[in-house]
């Protein structure tokens, strides 16, 4: 049996990478090598027992972020909001939502985080406000200052009845136009009808939103995650979108998005915001304030966020890279991983970094999308590929979706509710809903998973019923847990090889492998078995840069290897879904390995029976 596996390893097809990114030395800004951690404030930690997470809750858990090596954390919106889209419908861009705390709490959070050298990034939601925002209320009333703050259209009158001006649909289902009786016109909303789109062709709106940026930087924010930015502009003549997909004409996917998404004006606005941030930096000093931009867009469009085509204007520091969510799936072969990942790295403007994202509050959790057995494999990718690592709260303990645990009448996400106004006619809502990925963080096995002491109050979303077996406290006590593995990966990221090293990738059967190399340090090799069969890899056939022996630096919880194991480079055994990182090992002990040898010897002596 062993021999067979061994042979299949040797005969395996090896696809070698054509790319090697060259290492960079010591020129990295803080964000380029950081781990960014997304907190969904409503679900992270509740301090006051109302069943809703809050800012004081976040403050009480900052040590957790420190422990896992987070450099920056971005918070989903904490601003005043009627919560139709859980904070992505802002009624006052300059105020904190009461149930989350006060302005003093927010400032305290900035300060406390700073003491731990963690940067706080806020969510900036420029595309729309809430319909409860004073600007919208005044705009609807034709107020002379606010009249053009939103996108209004009188519609097309058919048989005496005004109809929406075109076939544009909302992301959350149905027409993107809603009639407003007071204004006697339709207003545009790319998302829920409670989220009217702001009019970025109107200079006062542009100025206002720049003020919002300055206001929060003054309070202490280290940057912004810019929401839904590719929806900012639509064509001025409101022409119909071409039909893409026969089917339900009210579905967002029914039309192509040639005229309502990814318009050139979007990038100009991004470059303008960057100017505001750079100018702020120049005037106030301190470390780089960063912009992370959210756009589900193809590679060409995503690259435009970094800088203008001639490089003369700078844009987003971190256009989110969603390839691990949108282009790779549970069944993707290792060769697709290589193709997609290499393409993204190669597409980057010179000297710029990408970031690796496997989940957020809008997407199925990684363990639910790729399968729970692959969580460590995917975490390995995110934490060891060149660039920035992004973690969605709960990923570090391998939380999974509570997909079938939340009933329709408990569902609150407008994306699911809007499509089923008369109740569930089929189970499509289960997949539309984002509630299952937003359930409270599972801290421990006490009531409500340690998220809150709610008494008779209920948590805003049910806690996943698996929390007694899957929680942080338990994982801390269990050596081979996802959490402890995550911490090891985080520590591994701290050195020059992972921060600055070059990258070259390979595929052997279902194993995706890549090197991380920097001059003067032992080369590293990351090996990830994405397949469901065991594999034996002859590393000497992939590349000649490794010595005959390899030392295991980290090993995922699915592995049979231990940190410190010495392996023969020509037969590295990997269980299914197994991920390990190894480096060259030479027999002549270096200073640090001599130390660990002494340590192991002394442990041996202690272990000897007396
Ligand atoms: C993207 C956000 O991530 C999502 O949660 C929200 O519903 C939409 N933008 C609208 O703001
Ligand atoms: Mg609370």
């Amino acid at each position: 049996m062993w021999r067979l596996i061994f042979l299949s390893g040797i005969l395996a097809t090896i696809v070698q990478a054509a790319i090697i990114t060259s290492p960079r030395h010591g020129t990295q800004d803080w964000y380029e090598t950081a781990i960014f951690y997304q907190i969904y404030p409503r679900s992270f930690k509740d301090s006051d027992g109302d069943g809703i997470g809050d800012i004081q809750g976040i403050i009480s858990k900052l040590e957790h972020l420190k422990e896992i090596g987070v450099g920056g954390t971005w918070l989903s919106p904490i601003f005043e909001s009627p919560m139709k889209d859980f904070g992505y419908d802002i009624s006052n861009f300059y105020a904190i939502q009461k149930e989350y705390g006060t302005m003093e709490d927010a400032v305290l959070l900035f300060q406390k985080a700073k003491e731990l050298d963690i940067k706080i990034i806020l969510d900036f939601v420029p595309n729309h406000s809430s319909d409860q925002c004073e600007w919208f209320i005044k705009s609807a009333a034709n107020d002379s200052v606010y009249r053009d703050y939103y996108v209004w259209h009188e519609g097309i009158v058919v048989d005496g009845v005004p109809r929406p001006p075109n076939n544009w649909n909302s992301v959350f289902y149905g027409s993107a136009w809603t009639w407003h009786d007071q204004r006697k016109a339709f207003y545009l909303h790319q998302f829920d009808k409670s989220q009217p789109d702001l009019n970025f062709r109107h200079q006062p709106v542009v100025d206002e939103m720049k003020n919002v940026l300055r206001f929060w930087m003054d309070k202490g924010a280290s940057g912004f995650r810019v929401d839904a930015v590719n929806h900012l502009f639509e064509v001025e003549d409101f022409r119909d979108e071409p039909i893409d997909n026969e089917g339900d004409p009210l579905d967002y996917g029914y039309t192509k998005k040639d005229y309502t998404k990814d318009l050139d004006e979007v990038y100009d606005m991004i470059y303008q915001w960057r100017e505001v941030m750079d100018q702020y930096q120049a005037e106030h000093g301190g470390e780089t304030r960063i912009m992370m931009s959210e756009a589900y867009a193809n590679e060409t469009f995503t690259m435009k966020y970094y800088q203008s085509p001639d490089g003369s204007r700078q844009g987003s520091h971190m256009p989110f890279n969603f390839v691990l969510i949108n282009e790779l799936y549970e069944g993707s072969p290792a060769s697709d991983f290589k193709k997609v990942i290499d393409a993204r790295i190669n597409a980057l403007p010179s000297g710029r970094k990408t970031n690796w994202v496997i989940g957020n509050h809008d997407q199925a959790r990684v363990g639910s999308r790729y399968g729970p057995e692959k969580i460590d494999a995917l975490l390995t990718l995110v934490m060891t590929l060149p660039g920035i690592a992004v973690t969605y709260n709960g990923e570090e303990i391998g939380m999974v979706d509570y997909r079938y645990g939340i009933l329709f009448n408990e569902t609150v996400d407008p994306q699911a509710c809007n499509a089923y106004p008369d109740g569930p006619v089929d189970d499509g809502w289960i997949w539309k809903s984002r509630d299952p990925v937003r359930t409270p963080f599972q801290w421990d096995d006490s009531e409500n998973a340690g998220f809150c002491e709610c008494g008779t109050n209920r948590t805003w979303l049910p806690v996943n019923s698996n929390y007694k077996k899957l929680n942080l406290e338990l994982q801390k006590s269990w050596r081979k847990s996802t959490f402890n593995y995550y911490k090891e990966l985080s520590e591994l990221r701290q050195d020059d090889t992972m921060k600055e090293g070059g990258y070259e990738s390979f595929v052997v059967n279902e194993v995706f492998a890549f090197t991380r190399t920097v001059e003067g340090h032992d080369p590293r090799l990351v090996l990830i078995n994405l397949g469901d069969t065991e594999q034996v890899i002859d590393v000497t056939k992939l590349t000649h840069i490794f010595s005959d022996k390899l030392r295991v630096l980290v090993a995922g919880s699915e592995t049979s290897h231990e940190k410190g194991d010495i392996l023969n480079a020509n037969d590295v055994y990997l269980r299914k879904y197994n991920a390990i990182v190894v480096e060259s090992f030479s027999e002549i002990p270096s200073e640090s390995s001599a130390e660990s040898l002494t340590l192991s010897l002394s442990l041996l002596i202690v272990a000897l029976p007396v």
Side-chain angles (χ1 to χ4, degrees):
M1 175 66 183
W2 175 251
R3 188 131 299 269
L4 263 181
I5 299 167
F6 184 55
L7 269 178
S8 78
I10 290 187
L11 296 177
T13 349
I14 299 174
V15 184
Q16 182 154 359
I19 64 156
I20 304 184
T21 63
S22 33
R24 292 166 61 195
H25 288 285
T27 51
Q28 321 272 347
D29 202 343
W30 73 269
Y31 70 90
E32 293 183 285
T33 56
I35 297 175
F36 281 86
Y37 185 89
Q38 179 193 354
I39 290 183
Y40 194 69
R42 223 174 158 71
S43 299
F44 194 56
K45 172 71 187 167
D46 177 22
S47 73
D48 60 1
D50 63 356
I52 296 168
D54 44 51
I55 299 173
Q56 284 293 346
I58 298 173
I59 293 176
S60 72
K61 294 294 185 187
L62 283 174
E63 285 296 342
H64 171 64
L65 306 189
K66 191 69 201 165
E67 184 180 353
I68 60 176
V70 166
T73 181
W74 71 273
L75 312 179
S76 283
I78 51 172
F79 315 109
E80 195 186 282
S81 162
M83 293 291 158
K84 288 278 176 354
D85 190 20
F86 300 99
Y88 286 96
D89 49 321
I90 299 174
S91 49
N92 185 345
F93 285 78
Y94 301 101
I96 299 287
Q97 169 75 353
K98 280 207 183 65
E99 63 198 346
Y100 292 159
T102 60
M103 187 61 84
E104 288 69 41
D105 292 331
V107 172
L108 187 67
L109 171 62
F110 296 137
Q111 284 164 0
K112 293 272 179 207
K114 194 168 181 204
E115 285 164 21
L116 296 173
D117 198 22
I118 295 170
K119 314 266 194 306
I120 302 286
I121 315 293
L122 295 180
D123 217 314
F124 175 51
V125 188
N127 180 67
H128 43 266
S129 74
S130 156
D131 60 354
Q132 305 302 307
C133 181
E134 195 194 350
W135 307 338
F136 184 72
I137 294 169
K138 289 189 168 162
S139 191
N142 247 321
D143 174 285
S144 59
V145 175
Y146 292 96
R147 182 181 301 138
D148 296 326
Y149 257 50
Y150 295 84
V151 184
W152 294 99
H153 197 292
E154 283 156 12
I156 296 162
V157 180
V158 181
D159 299 333
V161 183
R163 302 275 177 216
N166 56 32
N167 67 353
W168 298 354
N169 280 341
S170 132
V171 176
F172 292 164
Y173 194 76
S175 173
W177 297 95
T178 291
W179 178 255
H180 199 290
D181 238 0
Q182 186 184 10
R183 171 95 180 216
K184 299 274 177 274
F186 290 92
Y187 62 89
L188 176 74
H189 52 90
Q190 295 241 18
F191 293 89
D192 188 61
K193 66 176 191 299
S194 65
Q195 295 166 295
D197 272 43
L198 284 155
N199 176 11
F200 274 87
R201 298 192 187 277
H202 184 52
Q203 190 58 38
V205 168
V206 175
D207 297 342
E208 182 87 56
M209 295 318 268
K210 288 181 180 174
N211 275 339
V212 172
L213 296 177
R214 291 191 200 98
F215 177 86
W216 289 105
M217 286 190 283
D218 275 344
K219 297 282 178 208
S222 292
F224 302 93
R225 173 261 187 193
V226 187
D227 181 73
V229 69
N230 49 343
H231 296 269
L232 273 192
F233 287 90
E234 301 76 28
V235 286
E236 285 176 280
D237 64 6
F238 300 108
R239 76 195 96 148
D240 271 350
E241 292 277 30
I243 309 298
D244 191 23
N245 209 331
E246 296 299 334
D248 183 348
L250 292 177
D251 257 341
Y252 187 62
Y254 183 70
T255 54
K256 270 201 199 135
K257 302 293 173 288
D258 289 348
Y259 307 128
T260 55
K261 227 172 119 185
D262 304 309
L263 267 54
D264 281 346
E265 293 90 325
V266 165
Y267 311 104
D268 174 63
M269 195 52 58
I270 284 279
Y271 307 149
Q272 289 193 41
W273 289 331
R274 173 66 182 264
E275 281 154 22
V276 170
M277 296 172 73
D278 286 352
Q279 166 108 30
Y280 190 91
Q281 172 99 23
E283 285 165 14
H284 296 81
E287 291 188 77
T288 308
R289 315 306 194 276
I290 66 139
M291 191 196 315
M292 329 162 67
S293 46
E294 187 224 26
Y296 288 87
N298 68 24
E299 185 175 285
T300 313
F301 289 144
T302 303
M303 291 308 132
K304 291 188 186 181
Y305 286 97
Y306 281 101
Q307 59 187 31
S308 61
D310 64 0
S312 63
R313 297 178 77 194
Q314 290 302 298
S316 172
H317 298 83
M318 224 182 121
F320 274 124
N321 167 5
F322 291 126
V323 297
L324 297 178
I325 290 178
N326 273 357
E327 294 180 31
L328 295 165
Y329 313 94
E330 188 180 359
S332 299
S335 53
D336 280 7
F337 274 78
K338 177 175 159 43
K339 195 166 68 194
V340 167
I341 289 169
D342 288 1
R344 184 46 59 103
I345 292 174
N346 282 333
L348 291 170
S350 153
R352 302 301 295 269
K353 287 271 174 83
T354 188
N355 55 85
W356 304 101
V357 185
I358 43 173
N360 60 39
H361 64 295
D362 295 329
Q363 304 292 340
R365 284 185 175 275
V366 63
S368 302
R369 205 154 10 89
Y370 281 95
E373 289 174 305
K374 284 194 192 165
I375 292 176
D376 286 12
L378 270 293
L379 284 175
T380 310
L381 265 184
V382 166
M383 300 288 271
T384 60
L385 282 170
I388 299 159
V390 182
T391 299
Y392 173 51
N393 59 197
E395 255 165 30
E396 74 277 32
I397 57 170
M399 275 177 67
V400 289
D401 297 352
Y402 199 27
R403 193 61 68 185
Y404 289 94
I406 304 176
L407 305 173
F408 184 77
N409 63 13
E410 293 171 316
T411 295
V412 289
D413 179 13
Q415 184 163 278
C417 299
N418 287 6
Y420 292 85
D422 305 321
V425 286
D426 54 34
D427 63 5
W429 66 274
I430 295 177
W431 294 100
K432 277 206 188 299
S433 179
R434 296 169 298 177
D435 293 341
V437 315
R438 300 173 173 180
T439 56
F441 192 99
Q442 294 162 214
W443 296 101
D444 57 39
D445 67 0
S446 67
E447 205 186 345
N448 298 317
F451 163 69
C452 78
E453 288 172 30
C454 298
T456 53
N457 286 332
R458 297 179 67 164
T459 54
W460 80 282
L461 280 178
V463 175
N464 193 319
S465 59
N466 70 4
Y467 77 94
K468 296 244 179 221
K469 291 203 183 113
L470 201 169
N471 63 67
L472 175 66
E473 191 177 74
L474 186 67
Q475 292 206 3
K476 281 189 175 176
S477 67
W478 165 29
R479 193 173 56 85
K480 274 209 162 269
S481 65
T482 293
F483 178 71
N484 283 327
Y485 180 55
Y486 183 96
K487 272 177 66 177
E488 286 178 9
L489 288 169
S490 168
E491 277 154 32
L492 188 72
R493 285 179 66 81
Q494 301 310 317
D495 71 7
D496 288 353
T497 309
M498 304 316 269
K499 281 185 175 171
E500 301 176 0
Y503 159 93
E504 184 179 15
S505 65
F506 311 87
V507 168
V508 188
N509 293 341
E510 278 319 302
V511 175
F512 176 53
F514 53 92
T515 57
R516 299 301 316 277
T517 48
V518 88
E519 231 178 272
H521 294 269
D522 286 332
R524 301 259 168 88
L525 181 68
V526 180
L527 290 159
I528 302 174
N529 184 3
L530 293 157
D532 58 5
T533 55
E534 41 196 18
Q535 298 284 326
V536 177
I537 305 294
D538 184 347
V539 170
T540 61
K541 290 219 160 45
L542 296 184
T543 160
H544 297 300
I545 63 173
F546 292 95
S547 52
D548 294 348
K549 303 266 184 224
L550 302 169
R551 188 208 337 247
V552 176
L553 295 172
V554 295
S557 52
E558 304 289 335
T559 185
S560 54
H561 299 301
E562 293 291 337
K563 183 176 179 170
D565 279 0
I566 306 299
L567 312 177
N568 288 323
N570 62 1
D571 69 345
V572 176
Y573 169 71
L574 293 169
R575 279 186 189 163
K576 67 174 182 173
Y577 310 135
N578 193 183
I580 57 173
V581 182
V582 294
E583 73 178 1
S584 280
F585 172 75
S586 74
E587 302 288 351
I588 311 149
S590 65
E591 246 173 58
S592 60
S593 48
E595 262 168 38
S596 59
L597 187 66
T598 325
L599 186 68
S600 351
L601 280 178
S602 48
L603 286 177
L604 195 68
I605 292 162
V606 173
L608 282 177
V610 280

